Amino acid sequence: LFVGSVNVYKRQVLQHREVARDVWNEHAAVLEAIARGDAAGAARAIGAHITSAHQRVGCKEQQVAPS
């Protein structure tokens, strides 16, 4: 179910250049933190990405709790 939702999201939302750029930058922030060996930074970056993704798709509930 989740994978299907992601595929629908990619088809509908990532067609917009600005959104695609934002998603790319969010992914880059996660990878850069991992490359630096910064686990806490990677966790913050993925949390921020998930929060932004929820906002983009209009999720009403936050399902990611900070660790």
Side-chain angles (χ1 to χ4, degrees):
L1 180 63
F2 177 74
V3 172
S5 298
V6 169
N7 288 333
V8 168
Y9 171 77
K10 288 191 308 190
R11 280 193 305 273
Q12 293 177 351
V13 177
L14 294 182
Q15 293 178 40
H16 303 282
R17 196 171 295 202
E18 300 82 19
V19 175
R21 181 198 62 232
D22 292 345
V23 170
W24 179 264
N25 289 338
E26 292 166 8
H27 287 188
V30 173
L31 293 174
E32 289 166 3
I34 291 169
R36 288 192 310 270
D38 181 3
R44 284 189 303 275
I46 198 65
H49 171 58
I50 291 169
T51 297
S52 294
H54 279 214
Q55 291 169 347
R56 281 190 287 270
V57 298
C59 290
K60 294 183 177 164
E61 292 183 30
Q62 181 70 4
Q63 299 196 10
V64 177
S67 55

